[in-house]
Amino acid sequence: MPTRSARTAWNGTLEQGSGQVELSSSKVGTYDVSFPKRAADEAGGTTSPEELIAAAHSSCYAMQLSAFIAEAGGTPQSLDVTADVTLGPDSANGGFAISSIALTVRGEVEGLDAAGFEAAAQKAKEGCPVSKALTGTTITLDAGLE
């Protein structure tokens, strides 16, 4: 499997500085980042490490879940996955930390009942490579069929 890369160019201090993160492997885009907007409720056209983690987690989870649904004898018609990544103060070590990730999935699946879907969804939460990389964070799951 290949290695994927991203690059960030940053100028200035944490509070007044800003940067751009480039998705180097795919070359699909370059996105602005800034700490004040990272910590604000409104992103104002910038992304953040948490949003990028949410994108990575939701897409990885969807792929893993589709594999586990098929392994359980089902056929996924559609999966709608959201990952909400929360940044908060790190009282133990100072600074900030990702305090939680909430995965939500709704699926249309042939060949599995609600219990089978829930079992595959839980297995995907544990088996997704991004979930494995984020084991120091509390990850919750809300899964259901549509």
Side-chain angles (χ1 to χ4, degrees):
M1 301 296 282
T3 298
R4 302 293 185 209
S5 300
R7 177 184 168 273
T8 299
W10 185 266
N11 296 300
T13 65
L14 177 65
E15 291 298 328
Q16 281 94 32
S18 64
Q20 290 190 316
V21 61
E22 169 191 272
L23 304 182
S24 305
S25 300
S26 65
K27 299 182 182 2
V28 296
T30 299
Y31 305 94
D32 292 333
V33 291
S34 88
F35 183 77
K37 290 183 180 180
R38 178 184 184 185
D41 287 333
E42 179 56 43
T46 67
T47 192
S48 67
E50 293 73 34
E51 184 176 39
L52 296 169
I53 289 170
H57 204 175
S58 66
S59 60
C60 181
Y61 178 83
M63 291 178 205
Q64 188 67 71
L65 178 55
S66 68
F68 286 150
I69 288 169
E71 185 179 280
T75 303
Q77 299 302 305
S78 69
L79 299 172
D80 186 340
V81 180
T82 302
D84 294 316
V85 177
T86 302
L87 179 70
D90 185 350
S91 57
N93 300 305
F96 297 92
I98 293 174
S99 56
S100 65
I101 300 172
L103 290 172
T104 303
V105 59
R106 295 295 176 263
E108 290 183 36
V109 176
E110 292 179 1
L112 287 183
D113 61 9
F117 180 73
E118 175 70 27
Q122 287 292 337
K123 186 175 178 183
K125 179 181 151 256
E126 304 303 323
C128 157
V130 173
S131 290
K132 290 176 183 179
L134 299 170
T135 56
T137 301
T138 301
I139 301 171
T140 61
L141 175 64
D142 174 4
L145 291 173
E146 292 187 328

